[in-house]
Amino acid sequence: MSKILIVEDEAAIADLEKDYLELSGFEVKVVNDGKTGLEKAMTTDYDLVILDLMLPGVDGFEICRQVRAEKNTPIIMVSAKKDDIDKIRGLGLGADDYMTKPFSPSELVARVKAHLARYERLTGSAMEENKIIEIRGLKIDTTARRVWVNGEEKTFTTKEFDLLTFLASHPNHVYTKDELFSEIWDMESIGDIATVTVHIKKIREKIEFDTSKPQYIETIWGVGYRFKV
Ligand code: CA
């Protein structure tokens, strides 16, 4: 049974989310303040976190940032303000999805299921041998979701990792931003291709020696990107 953490200070919303998720067979833990939320998210292995943005104590921005620095757990961020959603998307904090309140609980359940299925598919079964991609100084363990650049391990957000792995798995193939967006962000209702540009920039900062002369992810002007081998 998948375990879900809800960090939400509005009790009525938290209860509604909890009820719907439990009815769908999930085990749900609710916490009402940011400090406890951060502590729970860091110390307990949840399969997914639903994170409110405005919280007493520590806010959702900070929780997302700290969790993402350590873990790949899918994070769905929720906020009452659409402006805040735009802001957090722009910051590239590494949340996997964003929802504006009020939303229908059934939509939340659908998104939770989609993210869990996706995460499971990407992490694969522990019984299989780890699948490794090695290209020059870059090593990607796609099973353990770890990346090394010239022997030094680098931390990637879920989407950055997915995007890098997708490109590296299809070397010398040129993809448009639209193609990459629909491949990695499979919820067509949110986000746009600018998200792809932001993530490519973040990935380059981590894997390239000189981001102005990328040796891995090449920009094909007017078309998109290609992973060079
Ligand atoms: Ca709140």
Side-chain angles (χ1 to χ4, degrees):
M1 191 194 291
S2 296
K3 284 196 320 191
I4 296 175
L5 175 67
I6 297 174
V7 189
E8 170 63 70
D9 59 323
E10 287 170 72
I13 293 177
D15 286 347
L16 188 66
E17 292 175 355
K18 182 172 190 276
D19 287 349
Y20 268 81
L21 289 166
E22 283 181 346
L23 279 172
S24 304
F26 297 108
E27 188 185 326
V28 181
K29 168 79 184 165
V30 174
V31 300
N32 307 111
D33 71 280
K35 193 164 168 288
T36 318
L38 177 59
E39 188 210 309
K40 285 276 173 210
M42 295 299 273
T43 57
T44 311
D45 278 330
Y46 291 99
D47 296 293
L48 185 140
V49 179
I50 298 168
L51 184 57
D52 184 32
L53 184 60
M54 300 310 287
L55 292 162
V58 184
D59 69 16
F61 288 105
E62 185 58 20
I63 296 175
C64 185
R65 196 185 64 75
Q66 290 201 33
V67 171
R68 201 37 99 233
E70 299 275 325
K71 297 177 174 217
N72 287 320
T73 317
I75 298 174
I76 299 179
M77 290 200 85
V78 297
S79 172
K81 289 194 212 154
K82 180 160 185 316
D83 289 356
D84 285 342
I85 297 280
D86 293 341
K87 194 169 143 203
I88 49 184
R89 282 191 37 223
L91 285 173
L93 285 173
D96 298 271
D97 205 350
Y98 307 92
M99 295 182 79
T100 311
K101 292 190 228 175
F103 45 77
S104 79
S106 49
E107 190 192 348
L108 177 71
V109 171
R111 291 207 193 182
V112 165
K113 284 182 178 167
H115 283 288
L116 287 172
R118 213 166 155 280
Y119 189 66
E120 242 161 59
R121 205 164 66 231
L122 287 162
T123 48
S125 151
M127 298 302 289
E128 290 166 21
E129 210 162 275
N130 288 17
K131 187 174 171 272
I132 310 275
I133 299 171
E134 262 189 294
I135 298 159
R136 297 187 295 276
L138 179 70
K139 179 176 163 187
I140 307 169
D141 182 334
T142 63
T143 315
R145 299 179 65 83
R146 296 173 73 184
V147 179
W148 293 264
V149 179
N150 298 320
E152 188 189 337
E153 186 164 8
K154 305 278 180 173
T155 310
F156 287 78
T157 67
T158 308
K159 294 300 185 200
E160 287 165 9
F161 182 89
D162 293 349
L163 184 55
L164 171 64
T165 303
F166 178 77
L167 286 167
S169 304
H170 303 86
N172 294 330
H173 186 130
V174 180
Y175 289 97
T176 66
K177 290 176 188 176
D178 280 315
E179 284 169 339
L180 293 172
F181 186 79
S182 58
E183 185 66 38
I184 308 297
W185 288 264
D186 47 9
M187 306 275 160
E188 57 256 352
S189 57
I190 50 134
D192 55 59
I193 58 168
T195 314
V196 176
T197 315
V198 170
H199 280 72
I200 292 282
K201 182 170 175 288
K202 299 259 180 205
I203 294 168
R204 280 181 175 153
E205 283 165 5
K206 294 173 192 183
I207 66 172
E208 298 288 356
F209 176 70
D210 178 354
T211 53
S212 67
K213 297 190 193 76
Q215 56 158 330
Y216 296 111
I217 301 174
E218 196 179 18
T219 301
I220 310 297
W221 292 106
V223 186
Y225 299 102
R226 165 170 72 187
F227 197 100
K228 266 196 297 193
V229 294

